[in-house]
Structures are given as C-alpha cells and as structure tokens.
Amino acid sequence: MENLLEIDNLTFSRSGRIIYDDISLRIVKGKTTAIMGPSGIGKTTMLRLMGGQLKPDSGDIRFKGESIQSMSRNRLFTVRRQMSMLFQSGALFTDMTVYDNIAFPLREHTKLSEAEIKTLVLLKLQAVGLRGAADLMPAELSGGMARRAALARAIALDPELIMYDEPFAGQDPISMGVLVKLIKALNDALQLTSVVVTHDVTEVLTIADYIYILAEKKVIGSGTPEQIKQSDSPLVQQFLKGHADGPVPFHYPADELELTFLGAK
Amino acid sequence: MSSRKVEIMVGLFVVLTIAAGLLIALKAVNQGMSSGTDTYTLYAKFDNIGGLKARSAVKVGGVTVGRVDSINLDSDGYTPVVALKISQQYNKFPETSSVSILTSGLLGEQYVGFQPGFSIDGIADLAEGDYISDTKSALVLEDLIGQFLFSKND
Amino acid sequence: MQWLANIGRSAIDTVGSFGRAFLMLMGAIIAKPQLIKNTPLTIKQIYVVGVQSLLIIVVSGLFIGMVMALQGYTILVGYGAEGSLGPMVALSLLRELGPVVTALLFAGRAGSALTAEIGLMKATEQLSSLEMMAVDPLRRVVAPRLWAGIISMPMLAIIFSAVGILGGHIVGVDWLGVDAGSYWSIMQSSVDWNKDVVNGIIKTVVFAFVITWIAIFKGYDAIPTSEGISKATTETVVFSSLAVLGLDFILTALMFGIE
C-alpha cells in the first residue's frame, strides 16, 4: 500500500503549550483515514500542518515523499492544488453566489472557457444535490447545504487528497446522513484519499478505513474500525462509549477541591 | 450585484471626478503664467515694497500680464529687487516703461502696476534680464500719516 | 521594574506589528501582478470603497463649503473684503479641508468597513480556504482593496473640493450677494495649479495610502473573534485619523511652510 501523506515524529507547540508530542501517522492512498479525539486537542491544527499552513517544531510531514515544511512558497502552492480542505464553517466566499464559489478554483487555476466551467460547476453541484441552488448567496443556504456547497468547491479541481474538518459537527441527522453518503460516494467514485477529522464516533466508524485516536498529545489508539472497537485501551473505550469521566478526566486540571474551598494552602 | 452595474457605477464615478477636476482646473485656478507658457524676466529695484509678495500680479491697465517671481535684497545698496515674470505674449514694452506698487482697494492685496512708456525711434524694447529704472515704491500708511502730521506742523 | 518591562513589551509589540504590516504590504504589492485577473477585482473594490462613499462625501463637501462661505463672509465683510470669499473658500478646501476631511470621512466610512470585512473573512476561514486553494490572499484579497483605496480617495477629495466650492458659491453669491464675477475671478487669481491643487492631491494620495494600509492590515492582523474584530475596527478609525492629522501637519510644513 502506498502512503500519500506521512507524518514522522511530529512535535508542535503553540504559545508555549505543547499540542503534539512525537506523533507519527500514515495516510494511505485511496483510503479514508479518520483522526478522532476529544474537542480541544487541536485536530484542526493537524489539518493545517498537513496543508502547510503551520510549520511543526520538529518532525517531518511528507506529501508524496516530499517534505512540506521545507517547500518554497511557490512549490507549496503548486502542491496545494492537489489537495483541498473542507472547513468546518464551509468558508464559502460570502460575496459570491454558490455558482461563482465553485467556479472560483477553476477560474483561478485553469484556462477553461466559461462554457466548460459552467458544465463542470453544474456537474459538481449535481453531485452534491445543489444544482438548483446555484444562484443563491451563501447566506441563503442552511448549514448543511453550505457544507455541501463547500464540498462541491473542494472537489472542483479533482484533488487527490481531501481534508474534512469536522464535517458532521452541528448537523441534523438528515444532513449528517447526506454528508456521510456523499463523502463515501465521492471517495469511491473519484478514488480520493480522505482525511476526516471528527469526534462523531458512529458516523466515522461507517466510512473510515483506518482510524487514529488522539488524546493527551499522543496517538492513543489506531487501527481499522473493527480493531478500534475491540481495543482494550480504557482511553479508547471511554472515547467510543462517551463516558463522562475516566482516563480523560472530567475536570480541567486544578488544585484539590479542599485546598480551593478551605484555603488551606 | 452584477458586475455590469458595478462597472457602470465606477464609470460614473470616474466621469464625476473628471468633471470636478475640470471645474477646479478651469474655474478656480489661474490660467497660464504658473507654468507652461513662455515668460521672460524683468527686474525692478524699489525703495520699499510694502506688502508685495511672490506671485503677486503684474498688471497693465488692470490686465494681468505677469507675476512677481521672487523678491530679494540687493547686496550692494540693500534695496529690494523684484523679479517679474512677464508673459512672452507682451514682449514689446519700451525701456521707458515704469512700474509702481499699488494696492487694490483700501486693504486689498498689493500688485505691481506697469505703465508702458512712450516708444520712439532709438528706444529699445525691454528684454530678458533688463532692469526697469523708473520705479515708484509702495505707499506705506505710517509714512503717509507721518508726512501729513509734519506738514501740519509747518 | 514592572513599568520598564511593560514599556519594553509594548515597544516590542509595536515594532513587531510594524514589521508584519510592512511584510503584508510588500506581499500585496510585489505579488506577481496578474493585471487581467486583478483589474475586475480592483474595479469592484473601487465600487465598494469609492462609489459607496460618494454620498457622504458630496453632502459633507456641500455643507462645509456653505458653512465656510457663511463664516468667511461675516468676517470679511467687516473689512469690506467680501470679494476675497472665493479664494478663502477655494484655498481652504484645496489645501486643507478637501484632503483632511475626505480622509477622515474615508477612514470612518471605507476604512472601518475594510477592516471588518477582512477580519470577518479571517474569522470565517475564508482567508485560510484561499490559501488551501493555492490562491494567495495577499494578491486576491489585499492587493485589489489596497489599490482601490489609493485610487478612490483622491477622486473623492477632488469631488469634495469641487462640491465645496459650489456650496460656497450657493451661500456667498446666491444668498449673501457677493458678486459672482469677483467670486470666481479673485479665486482664479489666487489659486495656483502647482502650489495649491497639485499639493492637495499629493496629500490625498499619501492619506489614501496610509488609511487603506492601516485598515487592511488591522483586518488582516485581527484576532478572529467578534471582540477582536470590533477592536480592530475601532483601532483603524483611531489610528488612521491620528495618522492623517499628524501627516497633514508634516506635509503642510514641507509644502507651504518654506517661503
């Protein structure tokens, strides 16, 4: 199996706080890899590191064997045309219609005629079921529709790698089902490599080929969905079952309760 | 917002700016003289220039023919030397012409009044760099009042 | 020692933000010029920052011209010099009020909008998503707005001065009875193209550059939260107004002070 993206011994800290400590990941070409973990551990940061928007303190991130953090800006921009990212908010350009949003990467990076662009855009919109919404402004879309429109934009240039940042967060069950189906269908149809960052356990178990679970700056578990379900790690089990307290503590680190209230310090 | 409408509005904006620029250029700004048109320079020495300033007008019978270019003090006699830039259009003033410093109205700005002299054979025209010998200084109000008082005492 | 450390920290922060602002400017100006792609974007931004500021500029210009004529008349008529109303209105507008008032209005109307827009684009990940689409936000977002500001504001200032002169005419000539001929002709004899008009335009270009730069940088550098954006918007108006007034003094001293 060929690795599209390899992360070796990555350490990253922000404003003095260590977020990742010596992490290694493999993203296999043509597969869907999920990165899961509790909120606030910097899953989005991982995607930004992969896209070269942030630079690691140490370690190496390679896309097709080429180290991302040592690329020149121009080279990085060339490489980024092969990846795309679906942001949590959708990040549609609010001053353009849905149609222009999806045409945007095509107009920027290709020399296609407007007629060819129109065909492509309508095809992509058809794929996400929003052909009828082409002339709406992003503000007129519901959250789920905005995310689907953003997905259409993300696949406009037929990238090799798509990174999904919390694609299911804050969606109603129907939109969530639609998105799950879409991501699966797109991967199968376009042979994409996907990285999904999420904390929605059930959805991910249905679409992911391989799962990494991050917590406490480390990879605490990895494997296929079956392996993960049978993991005997208490951390992994707490995360899958959603127990309030456990190895991942309910309380943010603080002084002992007695000390705080009785002032015996 | 269709891009067509945007383009039309920006076009209107540009037209409006040009119109405003033309209004300023044609109605508010003095024509010629400041730059571009050909001029020649004459000099005149005065005893006292009063409130004359650079860029004050030079007028012949009320018609502006030039402007004061600069005012300096002659290093020999410590008298003010005024350089006058006159439009090349009026280049036939005889040497016998005279200049005086006048005031428009009681408290108005001061300007150089230019009286062309008579021209008969043997009298050359004023040319670039010439000095006008016949000059009358500005009337200084304090001096006038002083003279008036002294003449009363007599 | 704490106060010394505070001074040091704020000095370091200030130098740091100047550095970032400079880098952003360089990135936007040097970003390989793609004229064909960028011209429509710039035109659209001229519409947003220029055309949409037109109303406030025209109305303010008219009123300021009218007020100046009214005030000037009451002073000048005491000396019997109401004929000098024209040059007084024209010179104040072309040299000072046109550039400065336009700049202050522009900072409030267009500058704050630019900061808020770019700050929100940052907060809603639109800038990040441009980067991930391999489109340089400096070229796509910052450069058109920068040029649009630098082009629009001098245009607005010219319109402001012209409307102000007309406003002075309405009050001075039509209401107060100053002779129309002397309003224009004395104005013509005292206003100089190079000294007054061109210098005024140079001022507005400098102001336009500074305001747009501050506005865009404040948005680009804003902390992407609602609080951060509102702070950045306020700072845009405050900093650019102060910068305009300070620069105005320096430029005036350089242009008119030496005689």
Side-chain angles (χ1 to χ4, degrees):
Chain A
M1 280 201 290
E2 195 187 340
N3 293 329
L4 189 66
L5 198 74
E6 295 169 324
I7 296 178
D8 281 326
N9 309 102
L10 167 79
T11 301
F12 181 76
S13 62
R14 190 154 45 190
S15 33
R17 200 165 66 93
I18 293 175
I19 295 178
Y20 299 124
D21 186 12
D22 197 19
I23 280 183
S24 298
L25 299 177
R26 294 281 176 275
I27 309 294
V28 180
K29 197 177 165 80
K31 301 282 182 194
T32 302
T33 307
I35 299 174
M36 305 178 69
S39 309
I41 58 141
K43 296 188 294 291
T44 308
T45 309
M46 178 59 82
L47 294 186
R48 288 182 191 273
L49 283 161
M50 289 177 179
Q53 288 192 320
L54 298 172
K55 287 200 190 308
D57 298 346
S58 67
D60 201 13
I61 303 172
R62 290 185 304 276
F63 181 77
K64 291 185 174 173
E66 192 179 355
S67 173
I68 284 182
Q69 69 267 32
S70 49
M71 281 177 193
S72 72
R73 194 171 166 79
N74 280 342
R75 177 73 191 137
L76 183 62
F77 271 42
T78 317
V79 168
R80 276 187 190 156
R81 293 182 197 187
Q82 302 165 36
M83 7 171 132
S84 73
M85 184 150 156
L86 183 67
F87 286 84
Q88 190 170 354
S89 60
L92 291 170
F93 302 124
T94 41
D95 57 344
M96 306 177 186
T97 62
V98 170
Y99 177 93
D100 287 328
N101 259 287
I102 290 148
F104 180 81
L106 297 167
R107 287 179 181 148
E108 283 290 328
H109 292 311
T110 66
K111 293 193 162 47
L112 298 176
S113 69
E114 274 303 310
E116 291 167 308
I117 287 179
K118 184 170 184 187
T119 316
L120 275 172
V121 170
L122 291 181
L123 274 175
K124 304 289 175 191
L125 277 172
Q126 176 70 21
V128 299
L130 288 180
R131 193 163 47 85
D135 293 327
L136 296 183
M137 296 302 280
E140 299 171 279
L141 300 180
S142 72
M145 283 161 78
R147 221 164 282 186
R148 275 148 70 189
L151 183 57
R153 186 177 68 180
I155 56 171
L157 282 176
D158 294 324
E160 292 183 46
L161 173 69
I162 297 197
M163 295 177 266
Y164 300 90
D165 186 6
E166 300 279 12
F168 313 116
Q171 298 293 313
D172 63 76
I174 300 174
S175 314
M176 194 142 34
V178 170
L179 281 167
V180 169
K181 184 172 155 273
L182 263 179
I183 292 175
K184 227 174 170 169
L186 285 173
N187 280 353
D188 296 345
L190 304 173
Q191 316 255 291
L192 291 173
T193 310
S194 307
V195 179
V196 183
V197 151
T198 183
H199 51 239
D200 292 290
V201 176
T202 38
E203 284 70 30
V204 160
L205 290 177
T206 62
I207 58 168
D209 297 306
Y210 202 83
I211 297 174
Y212 286 95
I213 299 184
L214 301 182
E216 322 229 287
K217 305 162 196 163
K218 296 275 191 195
V219 176
I220 57 161
S222 68
T224 61
E226 281 311 308
Q227 290 168 329
I228 289 282
K229 276 182 206 162
Q230 269 131 45
S231 163
D232 48 8
S233 154
L235 260 171
V236 172
Q237 287 305 327
Q238 186 201 355
F239 185 73
L240 289 183
K241 306 248 167 67
H243 296 308
D245 211 347
V248 177
F250 169 69
H251 290 288
Y252 191 82
D255 290 336
E256 287 295 317
L257 198 61
E258 291 80 359
L259 283 178
T260 309
F261 285 112
L262 302 175
K265 196 149 195 188
Chain B
M1 180 67 61
S2 74
S3 65
R4 177 125 191 93
K5 191 185 162 197
V6 168
E7 279 165 13
I8 291 171
M9 293 303 282
V10 172
L12 262 169
F13 183 37
V14 172
V15 169
L16 199 59
T17 309
I18 292 172
L22 281 178
L23 177 95
I24 291 170
L26 296 181
K27 295 217 78 171
V29 175
N30 71 67
Q31 313 292 309
M33 255 22 115
S34 56
S35 63
T37 52
D38 286 338
T39 57
Y40 64 104
T41 309
L42 299 177
Y43 296 93
K45 281 187 185 178
F46 293 93
D47 293 331
N48 192 325
I49 57 156
L52 196 70
K53 291 193 178 57
R55 297 205 318 110
S56 295
V58 179
K59 294 182 180 180
V60 176
V63 178
T64 305
V65 297
R67 297 210 165 261
V68 172
D69 187 42
S70 64
I71 300 170
N72 294 300
L73 213 51
D74 181 14
S75 53
D76 297 333
Y78 297 107
T79 48
V81 178
V82 177
L84 309 170
K85 262 202 186 330
I86 311 289
S87 168
Q88 202 57 257
Q89 197 183 341
Y90 311 105
N91 58 359
K92 291 268 186 269
F93 293 121
E95 276 184 336
T96 50
S97 302
S98 65
V99 287
S100 45
I101 295 175
L102 304 171
T103 309
S104 51
L106 189 56
L107 291 157
E109 59 179 311
Q110 290 195 298
Y111 65 95
V112 177
F114 192 106
Q115 287 87 31
F118 55 89
S119 71
I120 47 172
D121 289 346
I123 302 215
D125 291 336
L126 286 167
E128 168 77 30
D130 283 355
Y131 276 75
I132 301 167
S133 45
D134 187 359
T135 64
K136 284 191 204 73
S137 289
L139 288 176
V140 180
L141 208 55
E142 291 88 329
D143 292 353
L144 277 182
I145 293 168
Q147 279 173 14
F148 177 72
L149 289 176
F150 282 122
S151 65
K152 276 277 176 188
N153 286 344
D154 287 344
Chain C
M1 289 318 275
Q2 186 54 40
W3 61 274
L4 203 59
N6 286 342
I7 292 175
R9 187 176 323 119
S10 66
I12 290 170
D13 286 351
T14 312
V15 172
S17 70
F18 269 111
R20 289 198 304 280
F22 190 71
L23 283 179
M24 184 202 79
L25 184 68
M26 288 295 112
I29 291 178
I30 294 173
K32 49 183 170 182
Q34 289 180 300
L35 277 180
I36 301 150
K37 270 185 187 167
N38 264 2
T39 309
L41 292 174
T42 309
I43 286 178
K44 186 165 179 218
Q45 289 307 318
I46 290 178
Y47 176 80
V48 174
V49 298
V51 176
Q52 294 192 340
S53 308
L54 208 49
L55 184 67
I56 187 174
I57 291 294
V58 168
V59 172
S60 318
L62 191 67
F63 277 115
I64 285 191
M66 287 163 71
V67 166
M68 278 211 310
L70 210 52
Q71 291 279 14
Y73 181 82
T74 54
I75 296 170
L76 291 173
V77 80
Y79 301 97
E82 66 267 27
S84 300
L85 191 65
M88 197 206 86
V89 171
L91 287 178
S92 332
L93 279 169
L94 290 169
R95 286 181 178 181
E96 278 302 322
L97 292 174
V100 173
V101 177
T102 307
L104 295 178
L105 291 172
F106 187 79
R109 168 66 183 76
S112 58
L114 277 177
T115 306
E117 187 193 15
I118 293 180
L120 273 172
M121 288 178 88
K122 188 178 180 185
T124 54
E125 298 176 312
Q126 293 182 46
L127 294 183
S128 284
S129 101
L130 275 174
E131 280 219 355
M132 285 308 299
M133 279 187 239
V135 176
D136 189 349
L138 288 178
R139 177 181 70 68
R140 184 64 174 61
V141 174
V142 171
R145 285 168 174 77
L146 191 67
W147 289 119
I150 295 174
I151 293 168
S152 300
M153 211 207 89
M155 292 169 75
L156 291 171
I158 290 170
I159 293 173
F160 183 95
S161 295
V163 170
I165 290 171
L166 290 178
H169 187 273
I170 292 173
V171 168
V173 176
D174 298 341
W175 292 4
L176 299 172
V178 173
D179 179 53
S182 68
Y183 183 83
W184 292 115
S185 66
I186 301 181
M187 185 189 298
Q188 279 185 17
S189 69
S190 14
V191 178
D192 182 79
W193 179 260
N194 284 333
K195 203 168 153 64
D196 300 318
V197 180
V198 174
N199 276 352
I201 291 175
I202 292 172
K203 273 187 180 178
T204 59
V205 173
V206 173
F207 296 163
F209 172 75
V210 170
I211 294 172
T212 320
W213 186 17
I214 291 177
I216 293 174
F217 174 69
K218 281 287 164 195
Y220 195 72
D221 203 47
I223 300 156
T225 60
S226 31
E227 197 192 8
I229 292 169
S230 90
K231 183 163 164 270
T233 311
T234 312
E235 281 179 355
T236 291
V237 177
V238 172
F239 288 178
S240 48
S241 303
L242 290 178
V244 162
L245 295 173
L247 277 172
D248 183 49
F249 176 75
I250 295 172
L251 288 174
T252 307
L254 287 177
M255 288 169 176
F256 303 105
I258 305 150
E259 179 100 15

